[in-house]
Amino acid sequence: MKRLIPCLEQDNVEIELILLIKTLLTACKEISFRVSQGALSNVLGSTLDENIQGETQKKLDVISNQLLKDMLLESGKVRTIASEEEDFVVAATENAPYIVAFDPLDGSSNIDINGQIGTIFTIYRAKDDAPANSELQFSQKGTEQVCAGYVLYGPSTMLAMTTGGPTRLYTLDKTQGCYLLTTEQLSIPTETQEFAVNMSNFHQWSAEFAHYINDLILGKAGIRAKKYNMRWNGAMVGDVHRVLSRGGIFCYPNNINQPEQPAKLRLLYEANPLAMLVENAKGKAFTEQTRILEIQPSDIHQRVAVIMGSANEVDKCLSYLR
Ligand code: AHM
Ligand code: MG
C-alpha cells in the first residue's frame, strides 16, 4: 500500500504544501491518540503537558485546537490560522506561503458518547495584500482552496483529502504511525436512497424543503416511488464520510424561525472543505440557492445552509427550492 507522501509527490503537489500537510496530519495523529484514550486523555499523555504547563484538565476539543495551533505556528509554513475554537484569526509566520483553517473536533457532542468525531481542515494561499493578523486573509472563495480534508476518528482513523485532483482516502496504520492509501479515488454514486437530516427540526424548515423530505419519507407510495433510508450521526464529518463512501444526501437547511442566524454550519472550516471533497468525488454541494464553493465569504465564522452528496439527489432537492 502506498504511503501518503509518495502519493502527494506523484500528484505533483508542491514541496512546501506537502510539508505543511505533513505537519497538520502529525497533529491529527496525536489527536487520534487522545481521542482513543477518551476520558483518560484528561489525566494521561505528555506532549501537551509540556506545552501548556499546569493545564492538563482540558476538554478534548480545546486540547485538539491547541495541538493543531502549536504545530502550525512552529511549522514556518503558515501565515494565518483560523479555527472554530478561536474568536479571531491568529497571526503565525510573516511571509509564509499558506493560511489554514480548521474545526479541531467536529461533532463535539459525540465526544462524551464515544461516537464519530473528526478534524476538518482547509488550506489556501496567503494573500500579499492583507496583513497576517487580518481576517481578510480568508476572504477567498472555496474554489481557491489548495487542499481540503478531514481526519475521521472512528473505529479506524481515516483521512479523506484532495489537493485539487481526486478525493483520496487513507487509513492511519497505528502500528507504523503512517497514513496508507486505501481508496485511490472516491466516487459518489449519482443516485441514492439514503438521506441525512436532523428530523427534529422539521417545524423550522421552509415549506419547500419540508415538502422535499416528506416526499422521501412517503417512500414507494409517494412521488419518488422508492424506499429511502435515514441516518444521522450528529457529526457532519461522519455523515459526509458515509456519503463519500456509499452515496446519499446530507442536508442542514436554514431555520426559518431564526432569520438573524438561519444556518448552523460554518462556511470556512466545515462547508467549504467538505464541499471540495464531495465535488472532487463527483458529487454536488450547494446551499439552498448557490454552489457553496462560489460564496464570497464575509466573516470567518459565517454560517451557511448545506445540501451535499449524490449529484442527482442534490439536483432533485434543489428543484423543490427554486
Ligand atoms: P460542532 O462543530 O460544534 O460539533 O457543530 C457542528 C455539528 C455538525 O457536525 C453536525 O452536522 C451538526 O452540528 C449536528 O447538529 P444537530 O445538533 O442538529 O444534530
Ligand atoms: Mg463543527
Side-chain angles (χ1 to χ4, degrees):
M1 252 176 247
K2 230 188 271 170
R3 285 168 182 253
L4 172 72
I5 305 300
C7 289
L8 294 174
E9 286 166 352
Q10 200 178 311
D11 283 347
N12 294 318
V13 178
E14 55 201 47
I15 183 70
E16 295 282 281
L17 184 54
I18 292 181
L19 293 173
L20 170 54
I21 291 170
K22 207 175 157 194
T23 303
L24 242 169
L25 295 177
T26 304
C28 292
K29 240 189 282 180
E30 178 68 21
I31 296 171
S32 170
F33 172 71
R34 301 278 174 159
V35 166
S36 69
Q37 293 286 92
L40 302 179
S41 61
N42 281 345
V43 288
L44 298 178
S46 54
T47 319
L48 205 72
D49 302 356
E50 288 156 18
N51 291 348
I52 47 165
Q53 307 87 334
E55 291 188 9
T56 52
Q57 303 295 310
K58 288 273 183 183
K59 284 174 66 187
L60 265 177
D61 42 5
V62 179
I63 293 177
S64 305
N65 184 58
Q66 195 69 43
L67 272 167
L68 282 160
K69 209 170 68 171
D70 286 351
M71 293 190 72
L72 292 174
L73 286 172
E74 276 172 24
S75 74
K77 306 281 177 244
V78 184
R79 201 177 300 185
T80 316
I81 294 169
S83 162
E84 186 187 316
E85 296 288 337
E86 305 280 339
D87 289 344
F88 307 105
V89 295
V90 178
T93 308
E94 211 49 64
N95 299 324
Y98 304 106
I99 59 172
V100 180
F102 51 83
D103 180 350
L105 267 193
D106 179 58
S108 32
S109 68
N110 277 358
I111 295 175
D112 295 337
I113 57 152
N114 198 19
Q116 278 187 332
I117 42 182
T119 300
I120 308 174
F121 58 87
T122 173
I123 306 174
Y124 294 80
R125 289 189 197 289
K127 284 158 62 114
D128 288 330
D129 57 357
N133 64 359
S134 167
E135 269 207 15
L136 289 175
Q137 283 292 345
F138 289 96
S139 179
Q140 307 191 41
K141 294 180 182 175
T143 47
E144 301 300 311
Q145 295 172 100
V146 293
C147 175
Y150 62 75
V151 178
L152 179 70
Y153 311 112
S156 57
T157 294
M158 297 194 97
L159 161 71
M161 192 168 70
T162 174
T163 49
T167 298
R168 303 198 196 282
L169 202 55
Y170 304 82
T171 304
L172 178 62
D173 178 351
K174 291 184 182 171
T175 61
Q176 295 186 55
C178 58
Y179 296 87
L180 299 177
L181 183 67
T182 41
T183 306
E184 182 128 16
Q185 182 158 0
L186 284 168
S187 183
I188 303 174
T190 48
E191 302 286 346
T192 185
Q193 291 182 226
E194 199 161 68
F195 67 100
V197 75
N198 184 342
M199 285 298 299
S200 70
N201 294 335
F202 200 86
H203 58 284
Q204 303 174 358
W205 300 336
S206 69
E208 294 78 12
F209 186 78
H211 184 190
Y212 164 69
I213 294 292
N214 201 43
D215 280 348
L216 301 186
I217 293 170
L218 287 172
K220 283 192 174 150
I223 190 164
R224 302 299 306 276
K226 49 183 182 177
K227 165 90 177 81
Y228 278 82
N229 194 14
M230 197 207 85
R231 287 284 181 271
W232 187 249
N233 248 313
M236 185 189 194
V237 69
D239 281 312
V240 174
H241 182 72
R242 187 185 55 256
V243 167
L244 282 165
S245 306
R246 69 174 185 210
I249 184 168
F250 170 88
C251 307
Y252 214 114
N254 283 325
N255 176 353
I256 59 162
N257 300 330
Q258 221 174 264
E260 66 299 344
Q261 195 192 94
K264 167 155 188 181
L265 300 174
R266 273 57 56 105
L267 174 65
L268 177 60
Y269 40 79
E270 292 176 331
N272 264 338
L274 294 177
M276 185 176 180
L277 291 167
V278 163
E279 285 201 2
N280 289 358
K282 304 191 173 85
K284 289 193 174 179
F286 280 74
T287 66
E288 291 180 17
Q289 290 87 30
T290 39
R291 184 177 166 224
I292 289 173
L293 295 181
E294 280 171 15
I295 299 171
Q296 177 60 50
S298 54
D299 184 300
I300 55 166
H301 298 295
Q302 177 178 351
R303 296 167 190 260
V304 289
V306 171
I307 296 167
M308 57 171 66
S310 293
N312 289 355
E313 195 57 46
V314 171
D315 284 343
K316 192 73 189 172
C317 177
L318 295 173
S319 73
Y320 282 71
L321 307 178
R322 284 188 183 119

